[in-house]
Amino acid sequence: MRKVAVLGVGMHPWGKFEEKSVTQMCREAIAAALADAGLRWRDIEAVAAGSSRFSGGKGWGLNGNDVVEDLGATGIPVYNLSAGCAAGGNAFHIGYSLVAGGHHDVVLVVGGEKMPKGFIQTSGVQEETDPEYLRQICVGMPGPAFWALLCRRRMEEYGTTEEQLAQVAVKAHQNGAHNPRARFRQELTLADVLQSRVVSYPPRLYEICPVSDGAAAAVLCSAQVACKHTNKPVWVGGSAVATARFDDGIPRGLATVVPAGPTLHSEARLAVQRAMESAGVGPRDVDLIELQDNTVYYELAFPEEWGFCEAGEAERLVERGETSPAGKLPINPSGGFLCFGEATTAMGVFQVCELVWQLRGQAGARQVPGAKVGLGQTLGLGGNATAVVLRR
Amino acid sequence: MAESRVANSGAAPRRIPVMEGLFVETGAGPRLVGSRCGGCGTPYFPRAAACHNPDCGGGKMQEALFGPRGTLWSFAVQHYPPPPPVKYDEPFEPYAIGLVDLPEGIRLLARLSGARIDELRAGMPVELVLERLCSDAQSGGEFITWKFRPAAEKENRE
Protein backbone atom coordinates (compact mmCIF):
# COMPACT_ATOMS: atom_id res chain seq x y z
CA MET A 1 0.00 0.00 0.00
CA ARG A 2 1.43 3.40 -0.98
CA LYS A 3 1.50 6.49 1.18
CA VAL A 4 -1.32 8.90 0.33
CA ALA A 5 -1.34 12.66 0.88
CA VAL A 6 -4.25 15.09 1.11
CA LEU A 7 -2.82 17.73 -1.17
CA GLY A 8 -5.67 20.23 -1.26
CA VAL A 9 -9.03 20.88 0.35
CA GLY A 10 -11.85 23.29 -0.37
CA MET A 11 -15.29 24.02 1.00
CA HIS A 12 -18.40 25.92 -0.01
CA PRO A 13 -19.93 27.61 3.04
CA TRP A 14 -22.73 25.76 4.83
CA GLY A 15 -26.19 27.29 4.95
CA LYS A 16 -29.26 27.64 2.76
CA PHE A 17 -28.61 28.55 -0.87
CA GLU A 18 -31.88 28.73 -2.76
CA GLU A 19 -30.30 29.88 -6.01
CA LYS A 20 -27.53 27.31 -6.23
CA SER A 21 -27.69 23.68 -7.32
CA VAL A 22 -25.69 21.01 -5.52
CA THR A 23 -23.49 20.73 -8.61
CA GLN A 24 -22.70 24.44 -8.47
CA MET A 25 -21.77 24.27 -4.79
CA CYS A 26 -19.50 21.30 -5.53
CA ARG A 27 -17.92 23.17 -8.40
CA GLU A 28 -16.91 25.96 -6.04
CA ALA A 29 -15.58 23.54 -3.43
CA ILE A 30 -13.62 21.64 -6.08
CA ALA A 31 -12.18 24.85 -7.56
CA ALA A 32 -10.94 25.79 -4.09
CA ALA A 33 -9.47 22.32 -3.50
CA LEU A 34 -7.68 22.28 -6.86
CA ALA A 35 -6.27 25.75 -6.26
CA ASP A 36 -5.15 24.68 -2.79
CA ALA A 37 -3.45 21.64 -4.32
CA GLY A 38 -1.90 23.61 -7.17
CA LEU A 39 -3.53 21.28 -9.72
CA ARG A 40 -6.04 21.58 -12.56
CA TRP A 41 -9.20 19.64 -13.38
CA ARG A 42 -7.35 17.71 -16.11
CA ASP A 43 -4.98 16.31 -13.45
CA ILE A 44 -7.82 14.42 -11.74
CA GLU A 45 -7.72 10.74 -12.68
CA ALA A 46 -10.83 9.56 -10.82
CA VAL A 47 -13.66 10.94 -8.71
CA ALA A 48 -15.17 9.41 -5.58
CA ALA A 49 -18.39 11.19 -4.63
CA GLY A 50 -20.64 10.79 -1.61
CA SER A 51 -24.12 10.37 -3.03
CA SER A 52 -27.47 10.37 -1.32
CA ARG A 53 -29.39 9.81 -4.50
CA PHE A 54 -31.16 6.55 -3.67
CA SER A 55 -32.15 4.15 -6.37
CA GLY A 56 -35.87 4.15 -6.89
CA GLY A 57 -36.59 7.71 -6.29
CA LYS A 58 -35.37 10.49 -4.11
CA GLY A 59 -34.06 13.10 -6.50
CA TRP A 60 -32.23 15.33 -4.12
CA GLY A 61 -28.58 14.75 -3.61
CA LEU A 62 -25.25 14.74 -5.28
CA ASN A 63 -24.39 12.67 -8.26
CA GLY A 64 -20.69 12.49 -9.07
CA ASN A 65 -21.41 12.15 -12.77
CA ASP A 66 -23.17 15.54 -12.83
CA VAL A 67 -20.08 17.09 -11.26
CA VAL A 68 -17.73 15.58 -13.84
CA GLU A 69 -19.92 16.71 -16.73
CA ASP A 70 -20.14 20.17 -15.23
CA LEU A 71 -16.38 20.52 -14.91
CA GLY A 72 -15.72 18.86 -18.24
CA ALA A 73 -16.25 15.22 -19.16
CA THR A 74 -12.82 13.65 -19.48
CA GLY A 75 -13.82 10.01 -19.42
CA ILE A 76 -12.44 9.40 -15.94
CA PRO A 77 -14.03 6.84 -13.63
CA VAL A 78 -16.67 8.12 -11.21
CA TYR A 79 -17.61 6.21 -8.06
CA ASN A 80 -20.84 7.23 -6.31
CA LEU A 81 -20.89 6.01 -2.72
CA SER A 82 -24.08 5.70 -0.73
CA ALA A 83 -23.96 5.25 3.06
CA GLY A 84 -26.35 7.80 4.51
CA CYS A 85 -24.53 10.43 6.51
CA ALA A 86 -21.33 8.41 6.21
CA ALA A 87 -21.26 8.67 2.41
CA GLY A 88 -18.61 11.40 2.36
CA GLY A 89 -16.37 9.29 4.54
CA ASN A 90 -16.97 6.27 2.32
CA ALA A 91 -16.05 8.38 -0.70
CA PHE A 92 -12.87 9.46 1.04
CA HIS A 93 -11.95 5.87 1.83
CA ILE A 94 -12.48 4.77 -1.77
CA GLY A 95 -10.48 7.72 -3.07
CA TYR A 96 -7.73 6.89 -0.59
CA SER A 97 -7.78 3.20 -1.56
CA LEU A 98 -7.49 4.00 -5.26
CA VAL A 99 -4.26 5.91 -4.64
CA ALA A 100 -2.91 3.61 -1.94
CA GLY A 101 -3.47 0.61 -4.17
CA GLY A 102 -1.56 2.20 -7.00
CA HIS A 103 -4.57 2.54 -9.33
CA HIS A 104 -4.33 6.32 -9.67
CA ASP A 105 -1.95 9.08 -8.63
CA VAL A 106 -4.48 11.92 -8.22
CA VAL A 107 -8.08 11.40 -7.09
CA LEU A 108 -10.79 13.91 -6.23
CA VAL A 109 -13.13 13.24 -3.32
CA VAL A 110 -16.29 15.33 -3.17
CA GLY A 111 -19.45 15.50 -1.07
CA GLY A 112 -22.31 17.93 -1.43
CA GLU A 113 -25.89 18.24 -0.39
CA LYS A 114 -28.92 20.36 -0.92
CA MET A 115 -31.20 19.23 1.87
CA PRO A 116 -34.98 19.17 1.82
CA LYS A 117 -36.65 21.12 4.65
CA GLY A 118 -37.02 19.93 8.21
CA PHE A 119 -35.26 17.17 10.14
CA ILE A 120 -33.62 14.51 8.01
CA GLN A 121 -36.26 12.32 6.48
CA THR A 122 -35.80 8.66 5.94
CA SER A 123 -35.83 6.79 2.68
CA GLY A 124 -39.50 7.71 2.41
CA VAL A 125 -40.35 4.17 1.39
CA GLN A 126 -43.84 3.39 2.66
CA GLU A 127 -43.47 -0.35 2.92
CA GLU A 128 -43.92 -2.70 5.82
CA THR A 129 -40.46 -4.11 5.21
CA ASP A 130 -38.83 -0.71 5.74
CA PRO A 131 -37.62 -0.44 9.36
CA GLU A 132 -37.95 3.36 9.44
CA TYR A 133 -41.51 3.12 8.18
CA LEU A 134 -42.37 0.60 10.91
CA ARG A 135 -41.04 2.96 13.56
CA GLN A 136 -43.08 5.82 12.19
CA ILE A 137 -46.34 3.97 11.70
CA CYS A 138 -46.39 1.64 14.70
CA VAL A 139 -44.54 3.68 17.31
CA GLY A 140 -44.75 7.25 16.02
CA MET A 141 -41.03 7.79 16.31
CA PRO A 142 -39.10 10.36 14.24
CA GLY A 143 -35.30 10.48 14.15
CA PRO A 144 -34.41 12.82 17.05
CA ALA A 145 -36.43 10.69 19.48
CA PHE A 146 -33.82 7.95 19.26
CA TRP A 147 -31.04 10.30 20.29
CA ALA A 148 -33.21 11.39 23.18
CA LEU A 149 -33.55 7.80 24.30
CA LEU A 150 -29.77 7.28 24.31
CA CYS A 151 -29.22 10.58 26.07
CA ARG A 152 -31.71 9.85 28.84
CA ARG A 153 -30.10 6.47 29.50
CA ARG A 154 -26.78 8.25 29.92
CA MET A 155 -28.33 10.74 32.32
CA GLU A 156 -29.71 7.88 34.41
CA GLU A 157 -26.46 5.89 34.33
CA TYR A 158 -23.95 8.70 34.86
CA GLY A 159 -26.03 11.55 36.25
CA THR A 160 -25.41 13.82 33.26
CA THR A 161 -27.17 17.12 33.89
CA GLU A 162 -28.99 19.39 31.48
CA GLU A 163 -26.30 21.99 32.11
CA GLN A 164 -23.58 19.58 31.05
CA LEU A 165 -25.40 18.79 27.82
CA ALA A 166 -25.86 22.47 27.17
CA GLN A 167 -22.17 23.13 27.85
CA VAL A 168 -21.27 20.97 24.85
CA ALA A 169 -23.37 23.22 22.63
CA VAL A 170 -21.87 26.35 24.18
CA LYS A 171 -18.37 25.07 23.42
CA ALA A 172 -19.39 24.19 19.86
CA HIS A 173 -20.59 27.72 19.25
CA GLN A 174 -17.46 29.24 20.76
CA ASN A 175 -15.58 27.36 18.03
CA GLY A 176 -18.11 28.09 15.31
CA ALA A 177 -17.79 31.79 15.99
CA HIS A 178 -14.21 31.52 14.73
CA ASN A 179 -15.09 29.57 11.60
CA PRO A 180 -16.02 31.76 8.61
CA ARG A 181 -17.55 28.79 6.77
CA ALA A 182 -19.86 27.78 9.61
CA ARG A 183 -23.55 28.50 9.20
CA PHE A 184 -24.17 29.45 12.82
CA ARG A 185 -21.46 31.78 14.01
CA GLN A 186 -23.09 33.42 17.00
CA GLU A 187 -21.90 32.45 20.44
CA LEU A 188 -24.49 31.03 22.77
CA THR A 189 -24.63 31.27 26.55
CA LEU A 190 -25.62 28.36 28.75
CA ALA A 191 -28.95 30.16 29.34
CA ASP A 192 -29.54 30.50 25.58
CA VAL A 193 -29.18 26.75 25.15
CA LEU A 194 -31.22 25.82 28.21
CA GLN A 195 -34.02 28.12 27.17
CA SER A 196 -34.21 26.73 23.64
CA ARG A 197 -37.22 24.57 22.90
CA VAL A 198 -37.08 20.91 23.93
CA VAL A 199 -37.24 18.79 20.81
CA SER A 200 -37.45 15.39 22.44
CA TYR A 201 -36.30 15.51 26.05
CA PRO A 202 -33.47 15.76 26.89
CA PRO A 203 -32.06 17.32 23.67
CA ARG A 204 -33.08 20.89 23.00
CA LEU A 205 -33.10 22.77 19.74
CA TYR A 206 -29.56 24.11 20.13
CA GLU A 207 -28.31 20.65 21.09
CA ILE A 208 -29.35 19.03 17.82
CA CYS A 209 -27.89 19.92 14.44
CA PRO A 210 -30.30 21.10 11.75
CA VAL A 211 -29.90 20.31 8.06
CA SER A 212 -27.88 22.51 5.71
CA ASP A 213 -26.74 22.82 2.14
CA GLY A 214 -23.01 22.49 1.74
CA ALA A 215 -20.17 21.02 -0.30
CA ALA A 216 -16.57 20.06 0.34
CA ALA A 217 -13.78 18.54 -1.72
CA ALA A 218 -10.35 17.04 -1.19
CA VAL A 219 -7.58 16.16 -3.63
CA LEU A 220 -5.67 13.01 -2.70
CA CYS A 221 -2.42 12.03 -4.33
CA SER A 222 0.59 9.76 -4.20
CA ALA A 223 3.74 10.70 -2.30
CA GLN A 224 5.53 11.32 -5.56
CA VAL A 225 2.98 13.92 -6.68
CA ALA A 226 2.73 15.46 -3.21
CA CYS A 227 6.44 16.05 -2.91
CA LYS A 228 6.43 18.07 -6.11
CA HIS A 229 4.00 20.53 -4.55
CA THR A 230 4.86 20.73 -0.88
CA ASN A 231 7.68 19.75 1.38
CA LYS A 232 5.35 19.07 4.31
CA PRO A 233 2.34 17.13 3.08
CA VAL A 234 -0.60 16.06 5.20
CA TRP A 235 -0.61 12.26 5.10
CA VAL A 236 -3.42 9.80 5.50
CA GLY A 237 -2.27 7.77 8.49
CA GLY A 238 -5.24 5.43 8.36
CA SER A 239 -8.71 5.16 6.89
CA ALA A 240 -11.52 2.71 7.57
CA VAL A 241 -15.14 1.93 6.87
CA ALA A 242 -17.33 -0.29 9.05
CA THR A 243 -20.90 -1.44 9.46
CA ALA A 244 -22.75 -2.33 12.63
CA ARG A 245 -22.33 -5.60 14.45
CA PHE A 246 -25.34 -7.79 15.00
CA ASP A 247 -25.24 -7.65 18.79
CA ASP A 248 -24.50 -4.05 19.79
CA GLY A 249 -27.90 -3.39 21.32
CA ILE A 250 -28.84 -0.48 19.06
CA PRO A 251 -31.98 -1.29 17.07
CA ARG A 252 -31.81 -0.06 13.48
CA GLY A 253 -35.47 -0.95 12.97
CA LEU A 254 -37.99 -1.91 15.63
CA ALA A 255 -35.97 -4.43 17.56
CA THR A 256 -32.60 -6.05 18.20
CA VAL A 257 -31.22 -8.62 20.59
CA VAL A 258 -30.48 -7.64 24.16
CA PRO A 259 -26.67 -7.27 24.13
CA ALA A 260 -24.32 -9.26 26.33
CA GLY A 261 -22.17 -6.16 26.82
CA PRO A 262 -22.62 -2.39 26.68
CA THR A 263 -24.97 -0.73 24.21
CA LEU A 264 -23.07 1.36 21.69
CA HIS A 265 -22.68 2.24 18.01
CA SER A 266 -20.39 -0.64 17.08
CA GLU A 267 -19.93 0.67 13.53
CA ALA A 268 -18.41 3.91 14.81
CA ARG A 269 -16.09 2.15 17.24
CA LEU A 270 -14.97 -0.40 14.67
CA ALA A 271 -14.17 2.26 12.08
CA VAL A 272 -12.24 4.37 14.58
CA GLN A 273 -10.32 1.39 15.95
CA ARG A 274 -9.38 0.19 12.48
CA ALA A 275 -8.28 3.64 11.29
CA MET A 276 -6.20 4.24 14.40
CA GLU A 277 -4.65 0.78 14.17
CA SER A 278 -3.70 1.37 10.53
CA ALA A 279 -2.14 4.65 11.54
CA GLY A 280 -0.31 3.05 14.44
CA VAL A 281 -1.75 5.53 16.95
CA GLY A 282 -3.52 5.26 20.26
CA PRO A 283 -5.83 7.79 21.95
CA ARG A 284 -2.84 9.58 23.56
CA ASP A 285 -1.36 10.31 20.13
CA VAL A 286 -4.45 12.05 18.75
CA ASP A 287 -4.38 15.84 19.04
CA LEU A 288 -7.93 16.56 17.91
CA ILE A 289 -11.12 14.79 16.91
CA GLU A 290 -13.80 15.86 14.44
CA LEU A 291 -16.69 13.56 15.28
CA GLN A 292 -20.30 13.39 14.16
CA ASP A 293 -22.20 15.52 16.64
CA ASN A 294 -25.78 15.30 15.33
CA THR A 295 -26.54 15.85 18.97
CA VAL A 296 -24.45 16.71 22.02
CA TYR A 297 -24.84 13.16 23.36
CA TYR A 298 -22.27 11.83 20.88
CA GLU A 299 -19.59 14.20 22.09
CA LEU A 300 -19.93 12.60 25.52
CA ALA A 301 -20.43 8.95 24.55
CA PHE A 302 -18.07 8.52 21.63
CA PRO A 303 -14.76 9.51 23.27
CA GLU A 304 -15.50 7.01 26.04
CA GLU A 305 -16.52 4.26 23.63
CA TRP A 306 -13.31 4.77 21.67
CA GLY A 307 -11.01 4.71 24.68
CA PHE A 308 -10.19 8.40 24.89
CA CYS A 309 -11.42 8.70 28.46
CA GLU A 310 -13.02 6.59 31.16
CA ALA A 311 -16.73 5.77 31.17
CA GLY A 312 -18.64 8.66 32.70
CA GLU A 313 -15.66 11.03 32.52
CA ALA A 314 -16.65 12.97 29.41
CA GLU A 315 -18.90 15.44 31.24
CA ARG A 316 -16.06 16.50 33.52
CA LEU A 317 -13.78 17.04 30.51
CA VAL A 318 -16.36 19.33 28.95
CA GLU A 319 -16.86 21.28 32.17
CA ARG A 320 -13.13 21.77 32.64
CA GLY A 321 -12.79 23.09 29.08
CA GLU A 322 -10.62 20.17 28.01
CA THR A 323 -12.61 19.67 24.78
CA SER A 324 -11.91 23.23 23.61
CA PRO A 325 -9.05 23.78 21.14
CA ALA A 326 -6.54 24.57 23.89
CA GLY A 327 -7.62 21.65 26.09
CA LYS A 328 -6.34 18.10 26.54
CA LEU A 329 -8.90 16.50 24.20
CA PRO A 330 -10.06 19.02 21.57
CA ILE A 331 -13.33 17.88 20.03
CA ASN A 332 -14.83 19.52 16.95
CA PRO A 333 -12.73 22.68 16.89
CA SER A 334 -14.53 23.43 13.61
CA GLY A 335 -17.76 24.03 15.51
CA GLY A 336 -19.01 20.65 14.34
CA PHE A 337 -22.36 19.64 12.97
CA LEU A 338 -24.00 21.85 15.59
CA CYS A 339 -22.60 24.99 13.96
CA PHE A 340 -22.67 23.78 10.37
CA GLY A 341 -25.84 21.73 10.20
CA GLU A 342 -25.76 18.45 8.41
CA ALA A 343 -25.32 18.26 4.65
CA THR A 344 -25.26 14.48 4.69
CA THR A 345 -22.80 13.36 2.05
CA ALA A 346 -20.52 16.32 2.56
CA MET A 347 -19.79 15.82 6.25
CA GLY A 348 -16.99 13.27 5.92
CA VAL A 349 -15.20 15.58 3.51
CA PHE A 350 -15.93 18.65 5.64
CA GLN A 351 -14.13 16.93 8.51
CA VAL A 352 -11.10 16.21 6.31
CA CYS A 353 -10.96 19.91 5.41
CA GLU A 354 -10.88 20.95 9.06
CA LEU A 355 -8.30 18.31 9.98
CA VAL A 356 -6.05 19.49 7.15
CA TRP A 357 -6.33 23.16 8.15
CA GLN A 358 -5.62 22.27 11.76
CA LEU A 359 -2.59 20.15 10.90
CA ARG A 360 -1.23 22.91 8.67
CA GLY A 361 -1.70 25.49 11.41
CA GLN A 362 -4.23 27.41 9.32
CA ALA A 363 -7.19 27.27 11.71
CA GLY A 364 -6.83 30.79 13.09
CA ALA A 365 -8.56 31.47 16.40
CA ARG A 366 -9.81 27.88 16.67
CA GLN A 367 -6.33 26.39 16.15
CA VAL A 368 -5.38 23.40 18.28
CA PRO A 369 -1.80 24.24 19.30
CA GLY A 370 0.82 21.91 17.83
CA ALA A 371 -1.71 19.68 16.08
CA LYS A 372 0.06 16.77 14.39
CA VAL A 373 -2.47 13.92 14.38
CA GLY A 374 -6.21 14.33 13.79
CA LEU A 375 -9.10 11.86 13.81
CA GLY A 376 -12.33 12.24 11.84
CA GLN A 377 -15.42 10.04 12.14
CA THR A 378 -18.87 9.87 10.56
CA LEU A 379 -21.95 7.73 11.25
CA GLY A 380 -24.67 7.00 8.70
CA LEU A 381 -28.20 5.62 8.75
CA GLY A 382 -28.22 1.91 8.23
CA GLY A 383 -25.28 1.17 10.48
CA ASN A 384 -22.52 2.80 8.43
CA ALA A 385 -19.43 4.48 9.82
CA THR A 386 -16.10 5.81 8.61
CA ALA A 387 -12.96 7.08 10.27
CA VAL A 388 -9.77 8.73 9.10
CA VAL A 389 -6.49 9.60 10.78
CA LEU A 390 -4.48 12.41 9.18
CA ARG A 391 -0.99 13.34 10.28
CA ARG A 392 1.71 15.82 9.42
CA MET B 1 -61.39 5.49 27.34
CA ALA B 2 -61.72 5.30 23.58
CA GLU B 3 -63.86 7.98 21.99
CA SER B 4 -66.53 6.70 19.70
CA ARG B 5 -66.75 8.36 16.32
CA VAL B 6 -69.59 6.19 15.11
CA ALA B 7 -72.60 8.42 14.79
CA ASN B 8 -75.33 5.92 15.34
CA SER B 9 -74.60 4.40 18.74
CA GLY B 10 -72.44 4.52 21.83
CA ALA B 11 -70.64 1.32 20.76
CA ALA B 12 -66.86 1.24 21.18
CA PRO B 13 -65.00 1.93 17.92
CA ARG B 14 -63.69 -0.98 15.91
CA ARG B 15 -60.10 -1.89 16.82
CA ILE B 16 -57.89 -2.14 13.74
CA PRO B 17 -54.28 -3.27 14.06
CA VAL B 18 -52.03 -0.46 12.83
CA MET B 19 -50.20 -3.18 10.92
CA GLU B 20 -51.19 -6.82 10.45
CA GLY B 21 -49.31 -9.73 11.92
CA LEU B 22 -47.31 -7.96 14.61
CA PHE B 23 -49.36 -8.79 17.72
CA VAL B 24 -52.14 -11.03 18.89
CA GLU B 25 -54.56 -11.44 21.79
CA THR B 26 -54.15 -14.85 23.35
CA GLY B 27 -56.01 -16.51 26.18
CA ALA B 28 -53.14 -15.45 28.42
CA GLY B 29 -53.20 -11.84 27.24
CA PRO B 30 -51.54 -9.82 24.47
CA ARG B 31 -48.35 -11.05 22.83
CA LEU B 32 -46.01 -9.73 20.16
CA VAL B 33 -45.56 -12.01 17.15
CA GLY B 34 -42.01 -12.62 16.03
CA SER B 35 -39.65 -15.46 15.26
CA ARG B 36 -36.95 -17.47 16.94
CA CYS B 37 -34.19 -19.32 15.13
CA GLY B 38 -34.34 -23.07 15.76
CA GLY B 39 -30.57 -23.25 15.38
CA CYS B 40 -29.10 -20.48 17.55
CA GLY B 41 -32.20 -19.30 19.44
CA THR B 42 -31.95 -15.64 18.36
CA PRO B 43 -35.29 -13.85 18.71
CA TYR B 44 -36.66 -11.46 16.08
CA PHE B 45 -39.43 -8.87 15.93
CA PRO B 46 -41.16 -8.54 13.55
CA ARG B 47 -41.01 -12.04 12.07
CA ALA B 48 -37.83 -12.87 10.20
CA ALA B 49 -37.67 -15.09 7.15
CA ALA B 50 -34.12 -16.16 7.96
CA CYS B 51 -31.62 -15.92 10.77
CA HIS B 52 -29.43 -12.81 10.73
CA ASN B 53 -26.94 -13.94 13.33
CA PRO B 54 -23.60 -14.14 11.51
CA ASP B 55 -22.49 -16.98 13.79
CA CYS B 56 -25.58 -19.09 13.27
CA GLY B 57 -24.86 -22.50 11.78
CA GLY B 58 -28.30 -22.60 10.25
CA GLY B 59 -31.70 -23.37 11.66
CA LYS B 60 -35.36 -23.26 10.84
CA MET B 61 -37.20 -20.08 11.79
CA GLN B 62 -40.10 -20.70 14.12
CA GLU B 63 -42.91 -18.41 15.09
CA ALA B 64 -42.43 -17.02 18.59
CA LEU B 65 -44.66 -14.99 20.89
CA PHE B 66 -43.07 -12.42 23.18
CA GLY B 67 -44.32 -10.75 26.33
CA PRO B 68 -45.95 -9.63 28.45
CA ARG B 69 -43.17 -8.65 30.88
CA GLY B 70 -40.24 -6.37 30.16
CA THR B 71 -37.83 -3.83 31.62
CA LEU B 72 -37.66 -0.25 30.37
CA TRP B 73 -34.10 0.40 29.09
CA SER B 74 -34.77 4.05 28.34
CA PHE B 75 -37.40 6.34 26.87
CA ALA B 76 -37.91 9.60 25.00
CA VAL B 77 -40.75 12.09 24.93
CA GLN B 78 -42.10 13.25 21.60
CA HIS B 79 -42.93 16.90 22.21
CA TYR B 80 -43.77 18.12 18.74
CA PRO B 81 -46.12 16.70 16.08
CA PRO B 82 -43.90 14.42 13.99
CA PRO B 83 -43.89 14.76 10.20
CA PRO B 84 -45.83 12.31 7.98
CA PRO B 85 -46.29 9.42 7.70
CA VAL B 86 -46.67 9.41 11.51
CA LYS B 87 -50.35 9.51 12.47
CA TYR B 88 -51.83 11.05 15.61
CA ASP B 89 -55.10 12.48 16.83
CA GLU B 90 -55.56 16.23 16.87
CA PRO B 91 -54.81 18.12 19.00
CA PHE B 92 -51.34 16.62 19.37
CA GLU B 93 -50.48 15.46 22.88
CA PRO B 94 -46.85 14.62 23.78
CA TYR B 95 -46.22 10.92 24.27
CA ALA B 96 -43.42 8.70 25.48
CA ILE B 97 -41.53 6.12 23.43
CA GLY B 98 -39.53 3.43 25.16
CA LEU B 99 -36.89 0.86 24.39
CA VAL B 100 -37.89 -2.26 26.31
CA ASP B 101 -35.82 -5.36 27.09
CA LEU B 102 -37.79 -8.58 27.27
CA PRO B 103 -36.57 -11.68 29.14
CA GLU B 104 -36.88 -13.58 25.86
CA GLY B 105 -33.73 -11.71 24.79
CA ILE B 106 -35.32 -9.18 22.49
CA ARG B 107 -35.07 -5.38 22.83
CA LEU B 108 -37.73 -3.36 21.04
CA LEU B 109 -39.23 0.08 20.55
CA ALA B 110 -42.73 0.73 21.83
CA ARG B 111 -45.06 3.48 22.83
CA LEU B 112 -45.45 3.86 26.57
CA SER B 113 -48.75 4.21 28.33
CA GLY B 114 -50.46 4.31 31.68
CA ALA B 115 -48.08 6.67 33.44
CA ARG B 116 -47.34 10.35 33.58
CA ILE B 117 -44.09 11.19 31.84
CA ASP B 118 -42.49 12.22 35.12
CA GLU B 119 -43.31 8.81 36.59
CA LEU B 120 -41.25 6.93 34.01
CA ARG B 121 -37.80 5.65 34.99
CA ALA B 122 -35.20 3.64 33.12
CA GLY B 123 -35.06 0.19 34.72
CA MET B 124 -38.73 0.05 35.72
CA PRO B 125 -40.67 -3.17 35.08
CA VAL B 126 -43.29 -2.81 32.35
CA GLU B 127 -45.98 -4.96 30.78
CA LEU B 128 -47.39 -5.27 27.27
CA VAL B 129 -50.79 -3.86 26.31
CA LEU B 130 -52.58 -3.33 23.01
CA GLU B 131 -54.07 0.13 22.91
CA ARG B 132 -55.30 2.92 20.72
CA LEU B 133 -52.74 4.76 18.62
CA CYS B 134 -55.14 7.11 16.88
CA SER B 135 -58.47 7.18 15.12
CA ASP B 136 -59.05 5.91 11.61
CA ALA B 137 -61.01 8.68 9.93
CA GLN B 138 -62.04 6.41 7.07
CA SER B 139 -63.76 3.72 9.08
CA GLY B 140 -64.53 5.54 12.29
CA GLY B 141 -62.54 2.87 14.05
CA GLU B 142 -59.28 3.19 15.92
CA PHE B 143 -55.80 1.96 15.09
CA ILE B 144 -54.30 -0.32 17.71
CA THR B 145 -50.62 -0.75 18.43
CA TRP B 146 -48.49 -2.38 21.10
CA LYS B 147 -47.49 -0.34 24.11
CA PHE B 148 -45.91 -0.98 27.49
CA ARG B 149 -47.15 0.39 30.78
CA PRO B 150 -45.64 0.20 34.26
CA ALA B 151 -46.13 -3.30 35.63
CA ALA B 152 -47.93 -3.84 38.92
CA GLU B 153 -45.58 -3.61 41.92
CA LYS B 154 -46.30 -7.12 43.13
CA GLU B 155 -46.89 -9.90 40.65
CA ASN B 156 -50.23 -11.49 41.34
CA ARG B 157 -50.24 -14.89 39.73
CA GLU B 158 -53.75 -15.69 38.69
Side-chain angles (χ1 to χ4, degrees), chain A residues 158-221:
Chain A
Y158 296 125
T160 312
T161 64
E162 293 185 39
E163 286 74 18
Q164 286 168 333
L165 295 175
Q167 186 59 39
V168 176
V170 169
K171 184 272 293 174
H173 282 267
Q174 281 167 350
N175 293 339
H178 297 303
N179 196 334
R181 292 175 191 83
R183 180 173 173 192
F184 304 108
R185 295 201 290 274
Q186 83 283 26
E187 293 210 29
L188 294 176
T189 64
L190 204 64
D192 289 333
V193 180
L194 289 170
Q195 281 157 25
S196 67
R197 162 171 87 81
V198 172
V199 172
S200 183
Y201 189 84
R204 297 174 181 275
L205 192 63
Y206 288 148
E207 294 167 349
I208 299 182
C209 78
V211 299
S212 284
D213 303 339
V219 176
L220 308 188
C221 70

Side-chain angles (χ1 to χ4, degrees), chain A residues 128 134-140 142 145 148-149 152-153 156 198-201 246 249 253-259 263, chain B residues 18-19 42 45 52 54 73-80 85-86 95 97 99 105-109 111 122 133 145-146:
Chain A
E128 291 178 13
L134 286 175
R135 283 192 185 187
Q136 290 165 323
I137 291 298
C138 302
V139 179
L149 213 150
R152 182 183 290 266
R153 177 78 185 192
E156 300 233 12
V198 172
V199 172
S200 183
Y201 189 84
F246 175 71
L254 279 180
T256 187
V257 291
V258 176
T263 299
Chain B
V18 72
M19 205 171 281
T42 303
F45 176 72
H52 307 305
W73 188 82
S74 188
F75 64 97
V77 180
Q78 186 57 34
H79 287 282
Y80 67 90
V86 178
Y95 52 80
I97 299 163
L99 193 58
I106 192 142
R107 165 178 289 181
L108 60 104
L109 290 165
R111 287 284 280 268
L133 180 68
T145 193
W146 71 92

Side-chain angles (χ1 to χ4, degrees), chain A residues 4 6 39 41 67 78 112 118 122 124 157 161 208 215 226 230 250 264 267 323 352 381:
Chain A
V4 180
V6 184
L39 292 176
W41 170 241
V67 167
V78 176
T122 69
E157 276 193 81
T161 64
I208 299 182
T230 170
I250 303 249
L264 52 77
E267 67 277 54
T323 60
V352 166
L381 192 70

Side-chain angles (χ1 to χ4, degrees), chain A residues 208-351:
Chain A
I208 299 182
C209 78
V211 299
S212 284
D213 303 339
V219 176
L220 308 188
C221 70
S222 63
Q224 202 176 20
V225 171
C227 294
K228 290 193 188 133
H229 291 266
T230 170
N231 50 22
K232 220 176 169 211
V234 173
W235 299 108
V236 179
S239 173
V241 172
T243 52
R245 286 180 48 135
F246 175 71
D247 55 358
D248 69 5
I250 303 249
R252 270 85 190 172
L254 279 180
T256 187
V257 291
V258 176
T263 299
L264 52 77
H265 283 284
S266 56
E267 67 277 54
R269 188 164 76 168
L270 280 170
V272 166
Q273 283 172 339
R274 286 177 191 161
M276 288 176 63
E277 212 176 278
S278 299
V281 300
R284 295 233 171 109
D285 306 309
V286 174
D287 298 312
L288 69 138
I289 306 176
E290 283 285 327
L291 56 79
Q292 177 136 343
D293 58 331
N294 287 112
T295 180
V296 298
Y297 164 81
Y298 287 124
E299 221 174 283
L300 300 171
F302 278 160
E304 294 176 1
E305 290 170 13
W306 305 340
F308 282 86
C309 61
E310 296 297 316
E313 194 191 341
E315 283 81 352
R316 285 194 294 287
L317 290 175
V318 172
E319 282 180 326
R320 293 200 309 255
E322 302 291 8
T323 60
S324 293
K328 280 199 210 136
L329 184 57
I331 296 178
N332 292 3
S334 63
F337 289 38
L338 290 175
C339 290
F340 276 73
E342 184 164 7
T344 46
T345 68
M347 302 318 286
V349 194
F350 143 81
Q351 288 176 342

